[in-house]
Amino acid sequence: MEYLSGVVERITFINEENGFCVIKIKSKGFSELVTVVGNMASVNVGAVVSLKGEWKYNSKYGKQFCVYSYKETMPATIAGIEKYLGSGLIKGIGPVNAKRIVKVFGEDTIRVIEDEPERLIEVDGIGPKRIEMIRKAWQDQKEIKNVMLFLQSHGVSTAYAVKIFKTYGSDSIEIVKDNPYRLADDIWGIGFKTADRIAQAMGYDRESYQRIRSGIIYVLNEFANDGHCFARRTDLIKRSSEILEIGEEDIESAIKNMLEDKTVIMEYDDAIYLPPFYHSEVGVARRIAEIVRTKSKYCSYNPSEVIQSIQEECRIQYDDVQVEAIKKAITSKFMVLTGGPGTGKTTTTMAIIKVFEKLKANVMLAAPTGRAAKRMSEATGRNAQTVHRLLKYSPLEGYKNNEENPLDCDVLIIDETSMIDIILMYNLLKAVSNDTVVILVGDVDQLPSVGPGNVLKDIIDSGAVTVVKLNRIFRQAMGSAIIMNAHKINHGEFPVLKGGKNSDFFFIEEEDPEKIVELVRQLCKERLPKYYGVDPVNQIQVLCPMLKGAVGAHNLNAVLQEALNPSDISVKYGGIFYKVNDKVMQIKNNYDKNVFNGDIGRITNIDREEKVVYIKFDENEVEYDVTELDEVALAYAITVHKSQGSEYSIVIAPFTMRHYMMLQRNLLYTCVTRAKKVIVLVGSKKALGYCIKNSKSIDRNTMLVLRLKELFSTT
């Protein structure tokens, strides 16, 4: 074992996921900078490091010192201190303030920050507010160093260590020692596998109940991530045994204990639920039954007369199916209105609104996402809100509108209902009084919700409520190849790919993934903006079946970022550079910031000194600490699943057989129907054909249909 010490001059590479670094240090006895490689948690430019390791020769990079352990101490020289403080280590101190502070205090700088931070007022440009920020950041940094070194010794990356510290603070070490499996429950981005790796490094028993319990919950959450409300008992045992690498009898024993203490719930002999999904599913069925069984106060009106007066006032003529839908809306307590593009869903919804307004009803409108709510407002000329805003959700208090404080409305109309998962639907229906008329609008043939359940389809399939399906394509929509081809796809027919230059549906055939990537780049950067006169970032959206692979969203984002965003102001997190003007998407609900999964925004500013990124979502500008950037992703390209409820002027979508795992009819259908003006499909006819033939979307484990049928069979 050999020893080396020196001052960190540069950090040339850092892997945020595992803490692996490549650094350059200045060391006595060496005329050039020495390359040092290894896991060095939170090492900073300017720091003095004492290293233990061995010399190795890399054929590509030459002689390197491979670190096994290290110790970091404060720099002693004025130049070192300035470099150390200016590295971005301390929130509130960037290169400019570092220079100012060191100019005032010289070699005494570190001691002043440590013991007398109030003296920083002597530095030009530093006020009380910034002093408090620096004081807190310095203290946090000291504590986080200890936490990081502890966690690193158990194989935890620097990125996760920061999150753990932000969650638990100075108690981090004790909490992790006591129960590392808590990490999977408490911290976004840390799953069971990471927590288990830490636990194993700490010597936890592989067959401990704590570990098995955590593993079973992880598997159930994995089922939920795939859209299931529950797991079949045999599937749960098998999957848990595989992941935990222990015998099935140990899994069965743990499940028995978990059923006894209500950690999980089992019904129908083999359906095992996590409690939130169970209570939501039972609650949705119960609430629908309670609403339906309450007589509507509008059923005494003559629907035909009301419809006739609306038609005369608005100089419009509804077709027979639309008239039937309006009549059923008036006479029903709970109704579903479904249909594909061009079938008049919006017109019919508008007619229903007008009818109820004529009957002096208080009508409320909502949709699952901000974008869908905005579209609903634009289409109806009425205020529409997100479901969360409608229910006055706050992180601390939950939903303010609930069973004890129901919504004050006579009629509730929800658009894009296919996006609503079982938990959100339950919270919505809890806030609806039994006297309210509920109308769900949506296209049941689109992809189901990202979250668990298949709520809209299940409600329709149950036969428990009134359903109106619009099938007729209106004449004005027939001129659109997008709409005609969408219906062809939905009916299992191959779309018409040959369209003239005035068409709104194009197909470019290409098999080679690298050439597809280049085609997408050219279409976004040059061809489509030039031809249609559109903004390539705001008006063009690339939709992909998958995240991974050459033509997946991850790679296309990197390519399109380089092509469309020349900004050189950036910050790196998790191996990704985020730049000013980047188009990004929120990928988890953050109720504190009032941004939700699927919201798209633009990065407006990056403050590298404060380690803060500003992102504007519509009119809402939100502040993110750099460590929170795993909540967002670049959005030049997104998955089709993430596009639900949105429309884009122009859509570009690559489809290849490399995506075969995801190639389903409803995925292609959803993709095509996202385009308002133009869609360009790039890829192979074989992949399109595979989509169209594959009508079997993966069945989701839900019991909602059965629960509804049971409730309504007793009436």
Side-chain angles (χ1 to χ4, degrees):
M1 198 64 65
E2 297 181 79
Y3 297 87
L4 183 72
S5 63
V7 178
V8 180
E9 290 291 317
R10 278 202 314 270
I11 298 171
T12 58
F13 174 79
I14 182 166
N15 185 326
E16 299 280 359
E17 298 304 312
N18 58 22
F20 178 81
C21 299
V22 179
I23 65 173
K24 300 281 188 180
I25 71 166
K26 187 184 282 183
S27 182
K28 282 185 182 178
F30 294 88
S31 57
E32 296 181 349
L33 295 179
V34 178
T35 302
V36 178
V37 300
N39 286 63
M40 291 168 280
S42 71
V43 70
N44 285 280
V45 172
V48 177
V49 288
S50 301
L51 311 168
K52 186 178 176 182
E54 62 180 341
W55 291 98
K56 288 188 178 178
Y57 186 82
N58 184 288
S59 58
K60 189 174 180 181
Y61 299 107
K63 194 176 180 184
Q64 299 176 333
F65 191 80
C66 295
V67 174
Y68 296 138
S69 65
Y70 77 101
K71 187 178 175 184
E72 182 180 333
T73 57
M74 298 296 174
T77 67
I78 288 175
I81 293 167
E82 187 181 318
K83 191 173 282 191
Y84 183 75
L85 291 179
S87 66
L89 167 73
I90 306 299
K91 193 170 182 176
I93 304 180
V96 174
N97 278 330
K99 189 179 281 294
R100 289 172 180 167
I101 294 168
V102 171
K103 190 177 179 181
V104 173
F105 300 113
E107 292 180 358
D108 203 29
T109 295
I110 300 294
R111 189 198 63 78
V112 168
I113 295 173
E114 175 82 34
D115 300 327
E116 300 177 275
E118 66 278 2
R119 287 189 61 193
L120 292 171
I121 200 75
E122 299 170 28
V123 181
D124 286 344
I126 296 183
K129 191 176 175 183
R130 187 171 293 272
I131 288 172
E132 180 54 28
M133 185 192 294
I134 292 169
R135 187 198 63 75
K136 186 177 181 306
W138 183 262
Q139 193 58 37
D140 284 352
Q141 189 61 31
K142 281 173 61 184
E143 290 183 15
I144 202 172
K145 278 277 193 231
N146 295 331
V147 172
M148 279 186 167
L149 289 168
F150 167 76
L151 293 171
Q152 190 201 18
S153 68
H154 298 296
V156 182
S157 74
T158 49
Y160 286 150
V162 172
K163 288 195 158 208
I164 292 167
F165 181 77
K166 283 183 76 173
T167 305
Y168 303 134
S170 55
D171 296 328
S172 297
I173 293 173
E174 288 308 309
I175 288 171
V176 174
K177 277 182 178 176
D178 182 58
N179 180 12
Y181 294 103
R182 271 188 63 179
L183 298 172
D185 299 327
D186 296 345
I187 297 170
W188 162 256
I190 295 184
F192 168 78
K193 289 183 177 178
T194 302
D196 192 42
R197 192 171 66 246
I198 297 164
Q200 296 300 302
M202 293 172 64
Y204 265 71
D205 182 3
R206 287 175 53 80
E207 295 181 358
S208 69
Y209 175 66
Q210 213 171 30
R211 178 176 184 262
I212 299 172
R213 179 185 179 276
S214 186
I216 290 168
I217 292 171
Y218 165 76
V219 171
L220 283 169
N221 277 313
E222 287 293 292
F223 271 95
N225 291 339
D226 291 335
H228 303 293
C229 292
F230 65 85
R232 300 282 179 194
R233 191 171 178 275
T234 51
D235 294 337
L236 178 60
I237 291 169
K238 186 171 181 291
R239 185 92 60 93
S240 299
S241 176
E242 289 169 355
I243 284 170
L244 293 167
E245 296 179 340
I246 60 172
E248 292 188 358
E249 61 281 357
D250 291 327
I251 307 292
E252 289 189 53
S253 174
I255 289 172
K256 188 180 175 185
N257 288 335
M258 291 168 77
L259 287 167
E260 285 173 3
D261 64 19
K262 301 285 193 297
T263 306
V264 297
I265 296 167
M266 186 166 73
E267 273 210 347
Y268 303 108
D269 294 329
D270 72 339
I272 296 179
Y273 293 80
L274 287 170
F277 305 124
Y278 170 78
H279 293 301
S280 294
E281 196 177 85
V282 170
V284 167
R286 175 176 52 79
R287 288 298 300 128
I288 291 173
E290 288 168 351
I291 294 165
V292 169
R293 287 168 185 164
T294 308
K295 191 176 177 182
S296 172
K297 56 186 168 186
Y298 301 103
C299 58
S300 59
Y301 290 93
N302 186 327
S304 298
E305 288 179 9
V306 184
I307 292 166
Q308 186 59 39
S309 76
I310 296 281
Q311 290 185 138
E312 288 170 4
E313 283 175 24
C314 301
R315 296 183 180 178
I316 193 170
Q317 188 66 46
Y318 302 116
D319 74 358
D320 292 344
V321 180
Q322 288 178 312
V323 168
E324 186 63 22
I326 300 162
K327 284 181 178 178
K328 284 182 175 176
I330 297 171
T331 57
S332 303
K333 280 300 305 302
F334 203 113
M335 185 181 102
V336 174
L337 177 66
T338 185
T343 58
K345 273 203 311 296
T346 302
T347 306
T348 309
T349 302
M350 194 67 231
I352 291 169
I353 293 168
K354 285 177 178 174
V355 164
F356 278 115
E357 287 177 343
K358 198 168 185 68
L359 299 176
K360 303 290 189 275
N362 177 16
V363 182
M364 281 188 174
L365 311 178
T369 66
R371 286 166 296 156
K374 191 176 177 183
R375 281 177 50 208
M376 196 181 191
S377 292
E378 290 167 352
T380 63
R382 277 89 171 150
N383 179 48
Q385 306 172 78
T386 63
V387 174
H388 286 93
R389 188 160 289 170
L390 177 81
L391 303 179
K392 296 183 177 66
Y393 182 87
S394 80
L396 295 173
E397 299 176 60
Y399 296 95
K400 289 183 183 177
N401 287 115
N402 49 39
E403 58 267 61
E404 294 172 6
N405 182 30
L407 294 165
D408 183 19
C409 67
D410 301 307
V411 180
L412 178 64
I413 301 176
I414 306 293
D415 199 13
E416 295 288 355
T417 311
S418 61
M419 297 179 68
I420 296 182
D421 62 34
I422 194 72
I423 288 179
L424 185 57
M425 181 59 79
Y426 179 43
N427 282 297
L428 176 65
L429 294 181
K430 276 199 292 185
V432 175
S433 80
N434 289 347
D435 294 324
T436 302
V437 175
V438 178
I439 298 168
L440 306 181
V441 183
D443 186 348
V444 74
D445 295 315
Q446 285 189 32
L447 289 165
S449 59
V450 175
N454 202 347
V455 179
L456 184 63
K457 185 176 183 297
D458 284 353
I459 291 172
I460 293 171
D461 290 349
S462 73
V465 306
T466 303
V467 177
V468 177
K469 184 157 187 172
L470 304 174
N471 292 306
R472 177 191 162 199
I473 303 173
F474 282 83
R475 191 180 297 132
Q476 61 265 36
M478 286 183 177
S480 165
I482 289 174
I483 288 174
M484 298 309 292
N485 277 332
H487 285 278
K488 278 182 172 291
I489 291 164
N490 200 28
H491 293 132
E493 300 170 24
F494 206 84
V496 177
L497 300 180
K498 286 185 179 178
K501 66 177 185 178
N502 295 321
S503 177
D504 57 5
F505 190 106
F506 299 94
F507 174 70
I508 303 173
E509 190 165 11
E510 179 56 66
E511 300 279 350
D512 187 325
E514 288 184 12
K515 289 180 180 176
I516 291 172
V517 171
E518 178 55 23
L519 272 167
V520 170
R521 191 194 69 79
Q522 287 176 13
L523 286 162
C524 286
K525 187 175 171 64
E526 300 151 11
R527 292 165 62 172
L528 294 174
K530 186 178 176 183
Y531 190 81
Y532 292 103
V534 295
D535 180 302
V537 178
N538 289 330
Q539 292 174 281
I540 298 176
Q541 184 61 59
V542 177
L543 300 183
C544 305
M546 295 181 74
L547 284 168
K548 296 178 180 178
V551 287
H554 284 328
N555 183 52
L556 284 170
N557 268 318
V559 170
L560 294 172
Q561 183 191 49
E562 186 180 356
L564 302 175
N565 188 0
S567 174
D568 57 1
I569 303 169
S570 68
V571 63
K572 189 180 180 186
Y573 184 78
I576 296 168
F577 282 99
Y578 295 91
K579 301 166 42 174
V580 169
N581 297 323
D582 267 340
K583 182 180 182 179
V584 294
M585 174 182 273
Q586 181 76 13
I587 57 173
K588 74 178 285 260
N589 290 337
N590 189 321
Y591 302 104
D592 291 321
K593 297 184 190 296
N594 196 31
V595 286
F596 302 97
N597 190 356
D599 286 353
I600 285 183
R602 298 286 292 273
I603 295 177
T604 54
N605 189 26
I606 295 173
D607 189 329
R608 285 185 279 202
E609 190 160 299
E610 305 286 342
K611 294 190 174 181
V612 170
V613 177
Y614 297 89
I615 304 175
K616 194 168 186 180
F617 299 91
D618 293 325
E619 301 307 310
N620 180 27
E621 189 166 69
V622 183
E623 184 179 309
Y624 289 77
D625 189 270
V626 169
T627 60
E628 297 175 309
L629 287 177
D630 59 350
E631 291 188 15
V632 300
L634 294 176
Y636 300 97
I638 63 175
T639 63
V640 178
H641 283 83
K642 287 288 189 185
S643 73
Q644 288 171 266
S646 299
E647 282 186 341
Y648 313 96
S649 290
I650 299 176
V651 168
I652 303 168
F655 276 82
T656 79
M657 287 307 294
R658 295 194 175 203
H659 297 141
Y660 77 95
M661 291 286 290
M662 299 297 296
L663 298 182
Q664 295 167 1
R665 187 185 296 173
N666 58 358
L667 182 119
L668 179 58
Y669 173 76
T670 302
C671 177
V672 169
T673 56
R674 297 309 89 205
K676 276 196 293 190
K677 294 181 179 176
V678 176
I679 185 164
V680 184
L681 298 176
V682 184
S684 72
K685 288 179 182 176
K686 186 179 178 183
L688 297 184
Y690 191 92
C691 279
I692 292 158
K693 285 178 188 171
N694 186 16
S695 61
K696 290 183 180 178
S697 55
I698 299 166
D699 286 334
R700 294 187 164 191
N701 292 344
T702 91
M703 290 291 181
L704 185 57
V705 172
L706 180 60
R707 295 184 194 281
L708 283 165
K709 283 182 173 178
E710 285 178 349
L711 283 169
F712 281 85
S713 68
T714 61
T715 57

